[in-house]
Amino acid sequence: MNLFQNAKFFTTVNHLKDLPATSAEIAFVGRSNAGKSSAINTLTNHVRLAYVSKTPGRTQHINFFELTNGGFMVDLPGYGYAQVPEAVRAHWVKLLGDYLQKRAQLIGLILIMDARHPLKALDIQMLDFFHQTGRPVHILLSKADKLSKNDQIKTLSSVKKALKPYSERQQISIQLFSSLKKQGVEEVNKVVAEWFAINDGLFVDS
């Protein structure tokens, strides 16, 4: 079963105090323009569930979507480049950080990286930051179609090798992903389904 199919918009918030009472959540995060919105649209088989913009930093709030299993998918603001005032950027950073470390319902993080430019400094910072929660991370090396098959294999191998120290202390999995080719959809679904299964019954809708 595709957990993401028929996902429905639930709510959007801009302050922690407005976070909804939900069941288990998985969150999507990534550097601005890493392909996060496209990945969400591909997984849900929806053209514009998550807005895709050529301007990095378009996602400015925390957006919640309800999944077919009763769980939730959360689209977080992109980190890094964004043409916004510093005060707004600072608010995003705090909102993102507080959600990731304090949200009890969060059971796992999907981290999007452009396969052509993986493991940038901000990605490493995100892994270090989220490690403190003890929750699993699944990395999507997006835009894999822009690499040759050989380069895809090399990139996946090099990223796995670079993250070995992390995987020894935290559950981290990695895969190639292409929104254009719909590559890797089943693998993401399998990983997320396992997260929900492990946490089944721990959270109750209210």
Side-chain angles (χ1 to χ4, degrees):
M1 181 181 74
N2 183 347
L3 289 176
F4 299 100
Q5 191 82 27
N6 300 318
K8 298 181 295 185
F9 176 76
F10 185 71
T11 190
T12 184
V13 302
N14 194 30
H15 299 280
L16 285 184
K17 64 181 177 61
D18 298 323
L19 289 174
T22 65
S23 56
E25 300 169 359
I26 54 136
F28 283 71
V29 71
R31 290 200 321 274
S32 296
N33 217 25
K36 175 169 60 70
S37 294
S38 295
I40 289 174
N41 288 335
T42 297
L43 288 168
T44 58
N45 196 27
H46 197 291
V47 178
R48 291 172 65 88
L49 189 71
Y51 188 79
V52 179
S53 172
K54 292 182 179 178
T55 303
R58 180 75 190 189
T59 306
Q60 301 178 17
H61 299 75
I62 296 180
N63 297 310
F64 288 76
F65 302 90
E66 188 169 8
L67 302 176
T68 54
N69 68 341
F72 289 80
M73 172 180 68
V74 184
D75 184 12
L76 298 172
Y79 52 86
Y81 175 85
Q83 291 180 318
V84 295
E86 185 55 38
V88 175
R89 190 199 307 266
H91 171 72
W92 292 359
V93 170
K94 179 167 174 40
L95 182 66
L96 180 65
D98 286 349
Y99 170 83
L100 288 172
Q101 289 208 322
K102 298 177 181 179
R103 185 64 166 169
Q105 290 95 324
L106 180 59
I107 63 172
L109 186 69
I110 306 290
L111 177 56
I112 316 294
M113 299 183 195
D114 188 325
R116 300 167 298 175
H117 314 289
L119 297 176
K120 293 293 187 180
L122 287 173
D123 298 324
I124 297 299
Q125 287 178 27
M126 176 58 69
L127 285 170
D128 286 335
F129 184 78
F130 194 68
H131 164 66
Q132 300 172 45
T133 70
R135 294 165 182 150
V137 177
H138 186 60
I139 296 172
L140 303 190
L141 297 175
S142 66
K143 307 182 183 182
D145 55 277
K146 297 185 182 295
L147 298 176
S148 67
K149 288 293 184 182
N150 191 44
D151 284 340
Q152 286 184 27
I153 294 170
K154 287 182 178 179
T155 298
L156 182 62
S157 177
S158 65
V159 171
K160 284 183 175 179
K161 183 177 180 180
L163 290 179
K164 191 171 182 180
Y166 287 85
S167 60
E168 290 173 352
R169 67 184 192 184
Q170 182 179 15
Q171 184 183 332
I172 294 181
S173 47
I174 310 159
Q175 70 164 94
L176 293 163
F177 189 86
S178 168
S179 296
L180 183 66
K181 302 291 186 180
K182 291 182 168 47
Q183 173 187 354
V185 172
E186 291 183 3
E187 190 173 346
V188 183
N189 192 74
K190 181 180 178 182
V191 169
V192 171
E194 289 175 355
W195 289 353
F196 278 117
I198 292 170
N199 292 276
D200 185 40
L202 292 182
F203 304 98
V204 180
D205 289 329
S206 59

